[in-house]
Amino acid sequence: MATTATILQGVTISGAIQPEHKKILTPEALAFLTLLHRSFNGTRKALLERRKIRQAELDKGILPDFLPETKHIRENPTWKGAPPAPGLVDRRVEITGPTDRKMVVNALNSDVWTYMADFEDSSAPTWDNMINGQVNLYDAVRRQLQFKQGQKEYKIRTNRVLPTLIVRPRGWHLEEKHVIVDGDPISGSLFDFGLYFFHNAFESVKQGFGPYFYLPKMESHLEARLWNDAFNLAQDYIGMSRGTIRGTVLIETILAAFEMDEIIYELRDHSSGLNCGRWDYIFSVIKKFRQNSSFVLPDRSAVTMTVPFMDAYVKLLIQTCHKRGVHAMGGMAAQIPIKDDKAANDKAMEGVRADKLREVRAGHDGTWVAHPALAAIASDIFNKHMPTPNQLFVRREDVKIGANDLLNMNVPGQVTEEGIRKNLNIGLGYMEAWIRGVGCVPINYLMEDAATAEVSRSQLWQWVRHSVTTAEGKKVDKSYALKLLKEQTDALAKNAPKGNKFGLAAQYFAGQVTGEDYADFLTTLLYNEITAVGSASPASKL
């Protein structure tokens, strides 16, 4: 068997390594990451190329449909996903957020059932954010998480069972450029997953849960198969029983919606269900069909969960999950309490209640909140309408969803100048924060992250591309979009602290809202702005 030093030949790290990082970036952990990279990076790259081929077909007007070659999987009623794992039987309210130390403490102290610690959409992947996040989760799993900030001391409660910890690594398209293996950056997915798993798999089982993950941004069952292969290798490598890992897949791309059965099937021994990633799903619909004028959507506020294509997606997801015995998780409540306006706050919270009531009545087994104050609202609704730990018994056999339902873009509403300005503000506000290393930002009492920023810039691109006319009678063209962009940038920069990054954010955004160039993801577009690649050090010298 190869030694650690032998495995680490050809591996370099260019991120700064602080003393507290050394318990994470051990030679043994890096050797494990290297094994994951060498085993799976070729397949990962091939699957990303497959995405490009699929996009070219969509650009030609070839619409997606359920796969004929996997019909036997969809129509076989006998196979099931894994039964719910310890700590994942009851998931009625899940809180989500980044992995900074304060957030981890507050999330684990919240009155929720699980906490999704996020290395993805709500985190800007600076080297320090990613490694410090791993340090924080290492301490959290061991119930050793505490720190002081000024006069205030933060520590996780020890007088009750804590929410089950679930980790969301980055998607397959993202890389970690601070770690180079054989000349290539390591996959961000494998980096985030591998470090957390290597250090915490056995300890998490000892604490009564397990190595659990949320898997983002997949576009096909073949991408789920790659995760399953990585899970099997990881468990075998450390001597852990296969099936101990569990993965909940976010269905947040339109193409994955046509392969939900197949995605559960690929992960079945490791599956803990599917989640409605609503904002990324809307983003995906616009992105994938951006050349097709039949898919132009109105203002973001009009694209609710009850419009036809979103309603169909929810119903099919719940039906599919429960048929296979796994959880069907609801979407995010992104609202933040409005402390200085009771009437506005009451209206916003009533919207949260209505959304959660819709979810529990539809058959969801749980839901997401972004703020601890919303946990009580979501809990009240789910406790009242779901007295059991889940509702896997709600079969939804009444549901009959076909390809046309998933692609039904009959969405009432108009494009307005107010909607354009809101999208510009959200895109600029998020991108400016991201460049500063902050991955989620409150805007107009909503917690905005990469998903909502993507919806904003994709709608702007789409409206210019297809020469939409606003409700006010104005044609949305390149010059109009850039004029409004400048106005919103100037207004935001004027009220922001000195040293803000709105000017830089606007430079990037200007290239994304004119109906011409279209970056695959904002995060990949901006990533080089937050990499701090220094001199490379051989991993074997750590």
Side-chain angles (χ1 to χ4, degrees):
M1 188 172 179
T3 65
T4 297
T6 303
I7 293 170
L8 290 177
Q9 288 178 8
V11 181
T12 59
I13 297 177
S14 57
I17 300 174
Q18 306 302 330
E20 62 270 22
H21 298 163
K22 291 190 175 179
K23 68 181 179 185
I24 298 298
L25 296 170
T26 63
E28 294 77 15
L30 290 167
F32 176 60
L33 292 182
T34 302
L35 175 64
L36 290 174
H37 175 92
R38 289 175 177 155
S39 300
F40 300 119
N41 199 48
T43 305
R44 180 185 76 91
K45 285 186 170 183
L47 289 170
L48 294 177
E49 285 301 312
R50 188 176 182 272
R51 288 185 183 183
K52 294 178 184 176
I53 294 168
R54 194 80 190 273
Q55 183 64 56
E57 293 173 350
L58 297 174
D59 289 346
K60 292 175 184 174
I62 302 171
L63 296 178
D65 204 343
F66 297 96
L67 302 178
E69 63 267 30
T70 53
K71 185 179 180 182
H72 62 288
I73 293 172
R74 292 193 300 278
E75 295 187 352
N76 180 349
T78 61
W79 66 266
K80 304 288 181 188
L88 292 179
V89 176
D90 191 334
R91 305 170 62 178
R92 65 188 63 214
V93 181
E94 302 189 332
I95 194 166
T96 74
T99 57
D100 64 271
R101 210 160 177 84
K102 183 178 177 181
M103 175 67 204
V104 176
V105 171
N106 287 341
L108 290 174
N109 286 342
S110 298
D111 291 323
V112 295
W113 281 255
T114 74
Y115 160 46
M116 187 199 77
D118 191 19
F119 287 106
E120 203 229 2
D121 269 5
S122 64
S123 290
T126 66
W127 175 249
D128 279 350
N129 283 351
M130 297 295 98
I131 300 301
N132 289 333
Q134 293 284 350
V135 172
N136 298 336
L137 296 186
Y138 181 100
D139 292 342
V141 169
R142 289 158 181 80
R143 310 313 191 212
Q144 298 167 352
L145 190 65
Q146 56 186 342
F147 70 104
K148 279 188 174 181
Q149 191 174 63
Q151 297 299 311
K152 193 166 183 181
E153 185 173 348
Y154 293 85
K155 58 184 177 181
I156 53 177
R157 293 188 289 193
T158 56
N159 61 345
R160 46 157 269 183
V161 176
L162 295 179
T164 298
L165 181 61
I166 309 174
V167 174
R168 179 162 70 170
R170 282 168 279 182
W172 283 128
H173 60 286
L174 290 168
E175 296 175 334
E176 179 46 73
K177 292 187 178 180
H178 300 91
V179 179
I180 303 297
V181 181
D182 306 330
D184 281 335
I186 192 171
S187 153
S189 303
L190 296 177
F191 181 83
D192 299 339
F193 157 72
L195 281 179
Y196 177 78
F197 177 83
F198 185 82
H199 290 296
N200 302 297
F202 282 121
E203 184 63 32
S204 62
V205 171
K206 182 179 168 186
Q207 294 287 350
F209 56 110
Y212 303 150
F213 299 90
Y214 255 107
L215 307 176
K217 301 285 191 295
M218 281 192 271
E219 297 190 11
S220 80
H221 69 285
L222 299 179
E223 296 179 17
R225 181 181 297 173
L226 180 57
W227 270 119
N228 200 67
D229 289 344
F231 290 169
N232 282 331
L233 182 151
Q235 290 163 134
D236 292 351
Y237 184 83
I238 68 167
M240 174 170 271
S241 298
R242 288 189 175 191
T244 309
I245 293 176
R246 293 301 167 86
T248 307
V249 173
L250 292 125
I251 299 298
E252 49 190 356
T253 68
I254 181 66
L255 298 180
F258 286 89
E259 301 183 33
M260 288 194 272
D261 266 309
E262 294 90 330
I263 286 169
I264 298 172
Y265 183 81
E266 292 293 346
L267 284 160
R268 57 195 179 281
D269 293 338
H270 300 112
S271 176
S272 52
L274 306 177
N275 172 289
C276 284
R278 60 173 74 174
W279 298 117
D280 266 305
Y281 192 77
I282 295 168
F283 157 51
S284 174
V285 168
I286 302 168
K287 172 183 179 175
K288 290 299 173 186
F289 305 119
R290 62 185 182 270
Q291 303 289 359
N292 191 328
S293 60
S294 300
F295 287 82
V296 174
L297 293 172
D299 283 359
R300 170 183 153 184
S301 59
V303 188
T304 67
M305 295 303 294
T306 59
V307 302
F309 79 97
M310 296 299 286
D311 182 58
Y313 147 69
V314 168
K315 287 176 178 174
L316 182 60
L317 184 142
I318 294 167
Q319 181 191 56
T320 304
C321 286
H322 290 181
K323 180 171 61 175
R324 304 307 178 185
V326 295
H327 284 73
M329 302 305 297
M332 169 70 81
Q335 289 84 351
I336 302 167
I338 306 170
K339 295 179 180 178
D340 54 356
D341 187 334
K342 184 179 184 302
N345 187 66
D346 289 348
K347 182 179 179 182
M349 295 306 111
E350 196 51 49
V352 174
R353 285 188 189 90
D355 186 50
K356 300 312 167 192
L357 183 60
R358 174 194 57 77
E359 289 184 326
V360 72
R361 284 178 170 170
H364 280 296
D365 302 294
T367 190
W368 275 14
V369 297
H371 193 283
L374 272 59
I377 295 172
S379 297
D380 287 347
I381 297 292
F382 269 80
N383 289 343
K384 180 178 179 180
H385 296 275
M386 192 181 81
T388 48
N390 52 61
Q391 46 187 346
L392 298 177
F393 54 86
V394 176
R395 309 283 293 187
R396 294 308 309 262
E397 288 171 348
D398 58 306
V399 169
K400 300 284 185 284
I401 300 295
N404 289 339
D405 301 300
L406 292 173
L407 301 173
N408 183 346
M409 294 297 122
N410 182 18
V411 179
Q414 294 178 298
V415 177
T416 66
E417 182 170 309
E418 181 187 6
I420 295 171
R421 290 185 184 275
K422 279 185 177 179
N423 280 358
L424 288 165
N425 276 359
I426 290 164
L428 285 166
Y430 178 76
M431 291 168 72
E432 191 273 340
W434 204 88
I435 294 167
R436 289 188 287 106
V438 178
C440 55
V441 58
I443 301 173
N444 297 326
Y445 301 103
L446 291 173
M447 190 60 75
E448 306 285 1
D449 66 6
T452 49
E454 291 285 25
V455 173
S456 298
R457 68 103 178 196
S458 297
Q459 282 201 308
L460 293 164
W461 189 98
Q462 182 188 56
W463 294 338
V464 175
R465 179 70 169 185
H466 297 288
S467 301
V468 168
T469 300
T470 68
E472 297 85 2
K474 180 74 175 175
K475 183 179 176 182
V476 183
D477 57 18
K478 179 177 176 177
S479 61
Y480 182 53
L482 293 176
K483 172 180 171 289
L484 294 185
L485 172 62
K486 184 178 187 311
E487 290 176 7
Q488 298 309 118
T489 304
D490 290 346
L492 289 167
K494 182 180 177 182
N495 296 314
K498 282 188 176 180
N500 69 78
K501 303 289 186 180
F502 280 111
L504 182 57
Q507 288 178 36
Y508 279 104
F509 211 22
Q512 296 298 306
V513 300
T514 61
E516 298 163 336
D517 293 340
Y518 186 91
D520 207 25
F521 293 93
L522 285 176
T523 46
T524 51
L525 177 71
L526 298 173
Y527 184 48
N528 285 340
E529 290 291 341
I530 62 169
T531 54
V533 176
S535 57
S537 302
S540 57
K541 296 290 177 67
L542 285 177

